[in-house]
Amino acid sequence: MNGVNAFGKEPLNHSWKPMEVSRPLTSNDGLKRHPLTPIRVLRGLICLLVLLSTAFMMLLYCAPAICVILRLFSVHYSRKVAAIFFGAWLALWPFLFEKINKTKVVFSGESVPAKERVLLIANHRTEVDWMYLWDLALRKGRLGHIKYILKSSLMKLPVFGWGFHILEFISVERKWELDESTMRQMLSTFSDPRDPLWLAVFPEGTDFTEQKCIRSQEFAADYGLPILKNVLLPKTKGFYACLENLRNSLDAVYDVTIAYKYRCPLFMDNLCGVDPAEVHIHVRRILLSEIPTSEKEAAAWLMDTFKLKDQLLSDFKAQGCFPNQQKEGNISTFKCLVNFLMVIAFTSMCAFLTFFSSIWFKIYVALGCAYLASATYFNFRPSPVIGSVKAMLGYKQSKL
């Protein structure tokens, strides 16, 4: 039995029989919650300016100290401090979604414990699914520790790409022969159980569209795979690599299914407060012992999981909600405002030092830009000095 490549298209030959290709549900059905007025466009541009400027200043002034100098001595403490500072910036997004845009976030399924080390697998309805995982991570104390596997083109985004690199997101080309070594090398750095971790994977490999769904259904019909209407066929090699490298250091796997009411949002919809009206997040907590250890059986397990997701989304379409709604509680408006003011105050101070203080700050900013641009482009992160010295001594002793 051949496995579906995590980024390629090799067939997964299970026992399912070919079925007639059915028409998928569209990913943007329904009317917009609010019309895109000039005022909302202006508000969205202001939000984007705030998010970009705060990210830019926090990266320039925090990243060199936290993610370079401190990392030379300890990766663990570097990640811990980075999670505090950059988690404060990430918290601006749930504040925007839930408090400013008044988007209702509804959680269902199992109420998972706080502060676990987990591998998170989610469906990919639209380009902003991953942002709404921040709403769940904030409630579970893991906002600064969430990491994603994402396509390499996103690393080229201005400022945000630098942030993805500093937060140690794993960039991939979506071709397994090119990505395997990079993925496994990065995954090996996440194996320390002392480091908090939420590693989010979207096994479909791309966001859902009607055209992609039709192609996925045709492929499934050709190779005897399930015909899925609301998700694409999952690609398994990347998922299995994560599972294989991290199994011994994880507490659980979270199977997350995301749906929107009444329309799937785009990035600008989020910024302008146009959509969505509601985001529904269904969580299923799975013990590692319940997932097979062999690659073929794990691939079959993932396929079954996506069949369940497909049914969940069909039921959501019919009923307007997922089963077993949970009371995760609302995020605190007061804490959001305090966090927002602290981020604004910090970045305002950094801006003042940059533009109105000594020339040395301008030199520091220029060097910081050069480092962040080159480190992101070459995917470079410094290694601890002590670890490097030990490795060098061990190599010399082995030679002797």
Side-chain angles (χ1 to χ4, degrees), residues 47-65 85-86 88-90 92-93 157-164 166-167 343-344 346-355 361-373 376:
C47 289
L48 182 60
L49 178 62
V50 170
L51 290 165
L52 276 171
S53 59
T54 51
F56 183 70
M57 287 300 174
M58 290 192 76
L59 284 166
L60 285 179
Y61 279 85
C62 296
F85 279 87
F86 297 116
W89 181 79
L90 288 175
L92 298 180
W93 292 88
L157 290 174
V159 182
F160 291 137
W162 296 354
F164 298 157
I166 292 299
L167 291 168
V343 171
I344 292 296
F346 178 80
T347 52
S348 298
M349 179 188 69
C350 294
F352 174 82
L353 294 173
T354 302
F355 297 109
F361 284 100
K362 294 180 177 62
I363 295 173
Y364 175 84
V365 166
L367 292 174
C369 286
Y371 171 78
L372 287 168
T376 302

Side-chain angles (χ1 to χ4, degrees), residues 305-338:
T305 297
F306 268 73
K307 287 177 65 181
L308 291 175
K309 283 183 182 295
D310 190 58
Q311 187 59 53
L312 265 177
L313 289 165
S314 290
D315 294 343
F316 179 87
K317 183 75 173 178
Q319 300 167 12
C321 63
F322 288 128
N324 303 321
Q325 289 191 13
Q326 299 292 333
K327 294 182 179 179
E328 288 290 353
N330 295 322
I331 56 177
S332 167
T333 302
F334 175 74
K335 289 182 179 179
C336 284
L337 283 171
V338 169

Side-chain angles (χ1 to χ4, degrees), residues 75-188:
V75 172
H76 172 69
Y77 286 107
S78 171
R79 287 173 173 168
K80 201 169 186 178
V81 177
I84 295 171
F85 279 87
F86 297 116
W89 181 79
L90 288 175
L92 298 180
W93 292 88
F95 177 48
L96 169 65
F97 298 154
E98 298 187 43
K99 301 302 179 180
I100 297 177
N101 290 349
K102 302 297 183 183
T103 293
K104 184 178 180 181
V105 182
V106 182
F107 298 95
S108 59
E110 297 180 53
S111 182
V112 296
K115 298 184 178 181
E116 287 193 306
R117 269 181 65 92
V118 301
L119 175 64
L120 188 152
I121 54 174
N123 63 312
H124 203 354
R125 289 290 293 174
T126 183
E127 62 188 28
V128 294
D129 298 317
W130 56 288
M131 294 181 175
Y132 285 107
L133 295 180
W134 292 334
D135 295 71
L136 178 61
L138 178 61
R139 288 167 168 84
K140 298 302 176 180
R142 282 295 178 259
L143 185 58
H145 304 284
I146 189 168
K147 305 181 190 305
Y148 298 88
I149 297 177
L150 78 173
K151 57 185 179 182
S152 58
S153 60
L154 294 176
M155 303 298 285
K156 298 181 176 68
L157 290 174
V159 182
F160 291 137
W162 296 354
F164 298 157
H165 176 78
I166 292 299
L167 291 168
E168 298 183 278
F169 293 2
I170 302 176
S171 65
V172 294
E173 301 292 338
R174 295 189 289 191
K175 294 181 179 179
W176 185 241
E177 60 274 13
L178 298 177
D179 295 321
E180 181 176 11
S181 61
T182 302
M183 270 196 67
R184 291 190 183 278
Q185 188 278 325
M186 280 294 294
L187 289 170
S188 69

